[in-house]
Amino acid sequence: QEVLVPAGAGAQIRCRPYDCRSGTLREGTTLPARPLTVVEGSYSQHPLLSARYDLRLFLTCAPEEQRRRLERWMPLEERYIRQCGPEKGCQLVIDTTGFFP
Protein backbone atom coordinates (compact mmCIF):
# COMPACT_ATOMS: atom_id res chain seq x y z
CA GLN A 1 0.00 0.00 0.00
CA GLU A 2 2.81 2.42 0.86
CA VAL A 3 5.09 1.70 -2.08
CA LEU A 4 3.49 -0.17 -4.95
CA VAL A 5 0.14 1.65 -5.06
CA PRO A 6 1.61 5.18 -5.12
CA ALA A 7 4.46 4.16 -7.45
CA GLY A 8 1.96 2.65 -9.87
CA ALA A 9 -0.01 5.91 -9.79
CA GLY A 10 3.11 7.99 -10.45
CA ALA A 11 3.12 9.51 -6.96
CA GLN A 12 5.84 9.83 -4.32
CA ILE A 13 6.37 6.79 -2.11
CA ARG A 14 7.34 6.21 1.50
CA CYS A 15 9.83 3.38 2.07
CA ARG A 16 10.00 1.95 5.58
CA PRO A 17 12.51 -0.89 6.01
CA TYR A 18 11.38 -3.91 8.01
CA ASP A 19 13.41 -4.62 11.14
CA CYS A 20 13.54 -8.42 11.47
CA ARG A 21 14.78 -8.29 15.05
CA SER A 22 11.93 -6.17 16.43
CA GLY A 23 9.30 -7.30 13.90
CA THR A 24 8.43 -3.69 13.14
CA LEU A 25 8.81 -1.15 10.37
CA ARG A 26 11.51 1.45 10.94
CA GLU A 27 11.23 5.13 10.12
CA GLY A 28 11.32 5.58 6.41
CA THR A 29 12.24 7.86 3.60
CA THR A 30 9.95 9.65 1.18
CA LEU A 31 11.02 9.26 -2.42
CA PRO A 32 9.79 11.45 -5.27
CA ALA A 33 7.68 10.08 -8.12
CA ARG A 34 9.79 8.48 -10.84
CA PRO A 35 9.01 7.06 -14.26
CA LEU A 36 10.72 3.80 -13.18
CA THR A 37 10.70 2.16 -9.77
CA VAL A 38 12.80 -0.94 -9.13
CA VAL A 39 11.62 -3.20 -6.32
CA GLU A 40 14.12 -5.84 -5.24
CA GLY A 41 14.60 -8.21 -2.38
CA SER A 42 14.02 -11.75 -1.25
CA TYR A 43 10.27 -11.35 -0.90
CA SER A 44 9.59 -8.85 -3.69
CA GLN A 45 8.00 -11.59 -5.82
CA HIS A 46 5.47 -12.61 -3.17
CA PRO A 47 2.13 -13.44 -4.86
CA LEU A 48 0.42 -10.55 -3.04
CA LEU A 49 2.90 -8.09 -4.58
CA SER A 50 4.02 -9.35 -7.96
CA ALA A 51 0.75 -8.72 -9.83
CA ARG A 52 1.39 -4.96 -9.50
CA TYR A 53 4.65 -5.06 -11.50
CA ASP A 54 4.83 -4.25 -15.18
CA LEU A 55 7.94 -6.38 -15.59
CA ARG A 56 9.27 -9.12 -13.32
CA LEU A 57 12.81 -10.48 -13.37
CA PHE A 58 14.31 -13.30 -11.35
CA LEU A 59 18.06 -13.71 -11.34
CA THR A 60 19.48 -17.10 -10.53
CA CYS A 61 22.58 -19.19 -11.07
CA ALA A 62 23.73 -22.75 -10.56
CA PRO A 63 24.75 -23.68 -7.00
CA GLU A 64 28.37 -24.10 -8.14
CA GLU A 65 28.38 -20.58 -9.57
CA GLN A 66 26.82 -19.22 -6.39
CA ARG A 67 29.62 -20.78 -4.34
CA ARG A 68 32.24 -19.45 -6.78
CA ARG A 69 30.81 -15.93 -6.52
CA LEU A 70 30.73 -16.08 -2.72
CA GLU A 71 34.32 -17.31 -2.63
CA ARG A 72 35.32 -14.33 -4.77
CA TRP A 73 33.09 -11.79 -3.02
CA MET A 74 34.07 -12.58 0.57
CA PRO A 75 37.80 -11.79 0.18
CA LEU A 76 36.89 -8.58 -1.71
CA GLU A 77 34.58 -7.49 1.09
CA GLU A 78 37.17 -8.34 3.74
CA ARG A 79 39.82 -6.33 1.85
CA TYR A 80 37.45 -3.37 1.56
CA ILE A 81 36.75 -3.44 5.31
CA ARG A 82 40.46 -3.81 6.10
CA GLN A 83 41.54 -0.99 3.77
CA CYS A 84 38.69 1.49 4.16
CA GLY A 85 37.47 0.78 7.69
CA PRO A 86 33.83 1.78 7.07
CA GLU A 87 32.94 0.96 10.68
CA LYS A 88 35.24 3.76 11.90
CA GLY A 89 32.81 6.38 10.64
CA CYS A 90 29.83 4.81 12.42
CA GLN A 91 28.42 5.84 15.75
CA LEU A 92 27.39 2.28 16.49
CA VAL A 93 28.85 -1.11 15.47
CA ILE A 94 26.67 -4.15 16.13
CA ASP A 95 28.04 -7.69 16.06
CA THR A 96 25.22 -9.90 14.71
CA THR A 97 27.04 -13.20 15.30
CA GLY A 98 24.53 -14.44 17.88
CA PHE A 99 21.40 -12.91 16.39
CA PHE A 100 20.07 -15.99 14.61
CA PRO A 101 20.40 -19.47 16.10
Side-chain angles (χ1 to χ4, degrees):
Q1 292 300 319
E2 293 179 352
V3 176
L4 299 180
V5 172
Q12 73 179 17
I13 60 174
R14 179 120 178 108
C15 291
R16 295 189 302 153
Y18 182 72
D19 184 327
C20 294
R21 184 155 175 80
S22 67
T24 61
L25 292 171
R26 289 190 268 155
E27 286 300 314
T29 303
T30 300
L31 302 173
R34 300 276 190 219
L36 173 67
T37 300
V38 176
V39 179
E40 62 84 24
S42 298
Y43 300 103
S44 64
Q45 294 292 335
H46 189 282
L48 294 174
L49 306 175
S50 65
R52 293 200 168 270
Y53 305 141
D54 294 323
L55 177 66
R56 290 171 293 282
L57 302 172
F58 183 81
L59 303 177
T60 189
C61 64
E64 301 79 26
E65 178 63 12
Q66 182 182 36
R67 280 189 290 280
R68 187 190 72 75
R69 290 177 183 176
L70 283 172
E71 288 171 5
R72 176 169 164 64
W73 172 78
M74 290 175 65
L76 292 173
E77 182 180 82
E78 289 168 1
R79 183 175 71 197
Y80 161 72
I81 291 170
R82 199 171 46 252
Q83 290 178 350
C84 297
E87 75 283 359
K88 293 175 186 160
C90 295
Q91 288 78 19
L92 185 61
V93 175
I94 300 171
D95 183 345
T96 64
T97 304
F99 276 23
F100 306 100

